[in-house]
Every structure is written in C-alpha cells, then in structure tokens.
Amino acid sequence: MSKKQNKSQKLSTQQKADRIKAAQEREERARKKKEREEKTKRIFTIVVCVILVLALGLPTMGLAILGG
C-alpha cells in the first residue's frame, strides 16, 4: 500500500511540475503578446505623426514657393 501512495504522490508531484511549467509558458506568451501590441501601437503612432507632418507641411511649402 505504501508503494501505491508513493506512486500517486510522484504523479501529483509530476502534475504540479507540469502545471507550474504550463503557467510559466502562459505568462511568457502573455508577456510577448503585450510587447508585440505595444510595439505595434508605437509604430502606428509614428506613422500617423509622419502622415500629419507631410499633410500639413507640403501644402504650406507649396504655398510659400508659389505665393512667394
């Protein structure tokens, strides 16, 4: 009977290790997803700023050159 208890305890220890490993993997995936979203948001912001600068700067320069 002690062998059965010992075997079930080993299984539960193995199960605990598996659960810990799975939790660590989930945390790693969540961290990578968050980093990817932050990077995408940063790139989007930069692109919008460049578009705005061009949209406001080009007509102004055109008017300055043609109106000058």
Side-chain angles (χ1 to χ4, degrees):
M1 187 151 199
S2 85
K3 285 185 180 182
K4 284 185 180 181
Q5 287 175 343
N6 192 17
K7 189 174 183 180
S8 68
Q9 188 159 357
K10 284 183 182 178
L11 282 175
S12 67
T13 304
Q14 181 65 35
Q15 288 172 344
K16 284 181 186 179
D18 290 343
R19 287 182 182 176
I20 290 171
K21 185 177 179 182
Q24 289 172 341
E25 289 174 356
R26 279 194 307 272
E27 289 175 1
E28 182 68 18
R29 281 194 303 267
R31 185 182 62 78
K32 286 183 180 182
K33 183 179 178 184
K34 185 177 179 182
E35 288 176 357
R36 199 169 39 242
E37 288 174 353
E38 289 175 357
K39 185 177 181 181
T40 303
K41 184 177 178 182
R42 195 175 317 126
I43 290 172
F44 178 77
T45 304
I46 292 170
V47 168
V48 168
C49 289
V50 168
I51 289 172
L52 286 174
V53 166
L54 291 175
L56 296 173
L58 290 177
T60 305
M61 290 301 294
L63 287 173
I65 292 172
L66 293 176

